[in-house]
Amino acid sequence: MRTPVRIFAAAAIALAVGVAVMAHDRQIGAEWAVSAEQIADAQAYGKPGVEIAPGRMVVEPLPSEQAARLPLKWVLLGLAAGAAVLVGTGRRRASPEKPRRSR
């Protein structure tokens, strides 16, 4: 495969994987320890907020401890996928022939 096509394919896959992982993390709410929806549900049941520990209530959304590392995760997974495509589409080298022994 030609080098510009390989680089384009690797960049496209890297971007697609990074965006897909980001969308998945946002869909499951990975950036929040306590989301606004959870607080609204608790308030609908008459509670002032979400209890995260005995006697400790949260009334505002609370970010997750890993929220700051999520963009790094998205970039690294995208780069790994792009590198795999770049290596996988490379030219195959001919295996070196083993010298034959004469009898």
Side-chain angles (χ1 to χ4, degrees):
M1 197 179 257
R2 301 175 107 188
T3 302
V5 174
R6 289 177 57 218
I7 292 173
F8 177 76
I13 293 298
L15 183 66
V17 167
V19 168
V21 172
M22 179 186 67
H24 176 264
D25 284 345
R26 290 195 178 200
Q27 183 180 12
I28 65 170
E31 67 267 13
W32 297 107
V34 178
S35 68
E37 291 83 17
Q38 290 172 320
I39 294 171
D41 288 342
Q43 289 174 347
Y45 285 107
K47 297 179 182 178
V50 176
E51 188 173 7
I52 59 172
R56 187 165 172 215
M57 298 295 275
V58 176
V59 294
E60 292 182 5
L62 181 65
S64 173
E65 292 178 5
Q66 295 115 6
R69 288 183 256 155
L70 286 176
L72 180 63
K73 172 186 164 184
W74 304 332
V75 168
L76 289 178
L77 286 174
L79 286 176
V85 169
L86 195 62
V87 169
T89 58
R91 292 183 184 238
R92 305 282 187 244
R93 294 185 180 163
S95 61
E97 301 254 344
K98 293 182 182 178
R100 290 185 163 187
R101 291 187 198 181
S102 57
R103 290 185 184 192

